[in-house]
Amino acid sequence: MPEALRMARGLDLDLVEVAPNANPPVCRIMDYGKFKYEEDQKAKEARKKSTNGSVKEVKYRPKIGKGDFDTKTRNVIRFIDEGHKVKVTLQFRGREMAHPELGAKILDDVLEAVGPAAKLDSRSRLEGRAMSMVLSPDKQAQEAMKKAAAEAAKQAAADEAEAEAESEGD
């Protein structure tokens, strides 16, 4: 141990005990400040990558118009594409409570409009005067959709180039 400490001081580095319970104890000669800095950077990077998006809420009503429905549903899709979870809430007022099946139909329409980009976390359920469900992004389905869109764009460009070549040949 004193020999290792002497070697570390000679190299102007630190002697760090890696496994104190081993027999004999395992030590390593390193720059501890640099090691600590790199560990902090790795932890920071890991935290940055693990951003579990916040939960966004979009509220609907049973008597919602087509335009409003489309706009709100576009927002749901945008939130899911950004990686956020989305809580879709349907607010009932007064006598609308007598027809919860209308609310369930609207929530099903939202789920259908979002498509495979999202998966259902919690099924729609009635809580007081509100019916809600939670959607979360489906990473694999989103990747598959992006690949399909890229392939379609590539194919369209090839078809366009072929058509242009044919028109020049005429």
Side-chain angles (χ1 to χ4, degrees), residues 3-160:
E3 191 178 314
L5 196 53
R6 201 172 331 106
M7 284 173 52
R9 286 191 179 138
L11 295 170
D12 200 27
L13 294 172
D14 302 313
L15 183 66
V16 180
E17 198 172 27
V18 178
N21 297 334
N23 192 8
V26 180
C27 296
R28 181 189 241 169
I29 296 175
M30 67 167 89
D31 185 351
Y32 187 69
K34 182 179 177 183
F35 171 76
K36 204 62 177 139
Y37 172 77
E38 288 172 353
E39 286 292 310
D40 289 345
Q41 292 302 311
K42 285 179 189 172
K44 185 178 177 184
E45 192 66 32
R47 280 194 305 269
K48 193 186 295 182
K49 286 182 181 174
S50 73
T51 53
N52 52 352
S54 60
V55 177
K56 302 279 188 174
E57 185 174 17
V58 180
K59 291 188 177 184
Y60 289 82
R61 294 287 316 280
K63 295 179 182 175
I64 191 166
K66 175 82 173 120
D68 289 342
F69 177 84
D70 292 343
T71 303
K72 287 175 183 261
T73 305
R74 264 196 315 272
N75 284 335
V76 169
I77 292 169
R78 182 174 53 106
F79 292 148
I80 286 175
D81 287 343
E82 291 172 2
H84 300 284
K85 285 187 173 190
V86 180
K87 181 177 182 182
V88 179
T89 306
L90 197 102
Q91 289 290 145
F92 292 102
R93 287 195 191 145
R95 299 176 104 181
E96 294 172 347
M97 286 294 296
H99 300 285
E101 68 277 358
L102 296 176
K105 183 185 179 326
I106 288 174
L107 292 180
D108 289 343
D109 291 346
V110 170
L111 191 57
E112 185 179 315
V114 171
K119 59 184 175 214
L120 193 62
D121 273 5
S122 67
R123 190 79 203 133
S124 57
R125 60 182 186 271
L126 194 60
E127 301 163 349
R129 291 194 166 270
M131 185 179 276
S132 64
M133 67 179 178
V134 179
L135 303 172
S136 63
D138 188 355
K139 301 278 188 228
Q140 286 111 359
Q142 286 178 339
E143 290 297 321
M145 286 171 31
K146 284 179 186 174
K147 282 182 183 176
E151 287 294 321
K154 191 186 294 183
Q155 185 63 39
D159 291 347
E160 189 176 304

